[in-house]
Amino acid sequence: MLKRRPFGRTGLEVSELIMGAGYVGGIVIHADDETRRALLRRLLEAGINWIDTAESYGQGASEKALGWLLAELPEADRPYLSTKFRLDTDRLDDIPGQIEKSLSGSLERLGMDRIDLYQLHNPLGQDGFDISHVLGAGGVCDSLDRLKAQGLFDHIGFTSLGDADQCKELISSGRVASAQVYYNLLNPSAGQAVTADWPTTDFGNLIATCQDHGVAVMNIRIF
């Protein structure tokens, strides 16, 4: 049975390994129904208690499949669930409307009234989207706080890709409970300081910033 760890400051206890329901591997999106059911049984038997998806995984196919798969389980056996939204950076004049539409679509596909964690999927500092759109008045965090207060999800997170300094600013803001962090053997810079001549993306020891502020780390791109 997998060990569990505290999920930042949320009070949740999460298995050390969770399931990503994206295109890589792709079982939730592409496999037949019995294979999907067998996968879910194996996950639960191993003690995995969290599944992460996104509206963009299979253009909604992942969320739709998880909707009926999880509905077949007794409520007490259902794992935690997180999903993600991506803003159209050509329409940043309507961030609240975009988020509301994305969340409504995700909940409909999942067949749920609420989810455990809702996450921003846009990299920071790219495509004209930056930290001001997240922390500024009427931006992403204000919009998410309002929807969270309506009981539509319990916690707010983001994918910490893009500009490392902007990611650190968001982590340090107290506005998010979790960060999805790119960390692996090929690029461990999210977990340690690297030299100035580091030959690829420097993620600026983001994990230390998360630890300093009680923000849960969801490790992505591990392999």
Side-chain angles (χ1 to χ4, degrees):
M1 186 67 70
L2 285 170
K3 295 179 181 178
R4 294 187 177 180
R5 297 182 179 181
F7 192 67
R9 60 178 181 269
T10 65
L12 302 177
E13 293 283 331
V14 178
S15 51
E16 288 186 321
L17 295 178
I18 70 169
M19 178 188 163
Y23 202 88
V24 178
I27 294 177
V28 172
I29 298 172
H30 300 299
D32 61 85
D33 291 351
E34 284 310 308
T35 300
R36 291 163 166 166
R37 289 187 176 102
L39 170 67
L40 194 55
R41 286 196 301 270
R42 292 286 295 273
L43 293 175
L44 296 174
E45 288 168 0
I48 290 175
N49 70 341
W50 196 298
I51 297 175
D52 183 63
T53 185
E55 63 177 353
S56 61
Y57 293 170
Q59 301 302 310
S62 175
E63 290 180 331
K64 286 182 180 178
L66 288 170
W68 65 260
L69 280 166
L70 296 177
E72 292 183 347
L73 296 175
E75 189 167 349
D77 293 341
R78 294 176 193 173
Y80 297 119
L81 183 72
S82 53
T83 192
K84 299 181 280 291
F85 66 94
R86 186 182 294 271
L87 294 170
D88 180 350
T89 56
D90 290 330
R91 297 191 297 114
L92 293 176
D93 58 332
D94 187 23
I95 289 174
Q98 285 200 63
I99 295 175
E100 288 179 22
K101 183 177 180 181
S102 291
L103 179 59
S104 176
S106 289
L107 291 174
E108 182 177 355
R109 286 185 291 272
L110 290 165
M112 297 177 178
D113 297 325
R114 55 162 294 283
I115 50 178
D116 299 289
L117 174 69
Y118 198 43
Q119 304 160 100
L120 171 68
H121 212 180
N122 296 72
L124 295 176
Q126 296 183 10
D127 300 321
F129 180 76
D130 61 34
I131 192 67
S132 68
H133 298 106
V134 182
L135 294 179
V140 171
C141 283
D142 283 354
S143 301
L144 291 174
D145 284 343
R146 179 171 49 82
L147 295 168
K148 177 184 172 184
Q150 297 175 26
L152 299 175
F153 49 85
D154 293 338
H155 305 287
I156 295 168
F158 80 112
T159 300
S160 56
L161 296 177
D163 184 87
D165 287 336
Q166 293 190 35
C167 290
K168 288 181 179 180
E169 185 175 350
L170 182 51
I171 291 166
S172 305
S173 70
R175 304 293 295 272
V176 295
S178 68
Q180 292 203 331
V181 177
Y182 183 112
Y183 176 78
N184 53 47
L185 289 174
L186 292 177
N187 188 346
S189 64
Q192 63 189 56
V194 295
T195 58
D197 60 350
W198 183 248
T200 187
T201 303
D202 180 1
F203 288 105
N205 204 5
L206 282 173
I207 292 174
T209 305
C210 289
Q211 291 173 333
D212 289 343
H213 295 277
V215 170
V217 173
M218 300 177 75
N219 189 185
I220 61 173
R221 317 283 173 84
I222 299 169
F223 298 116

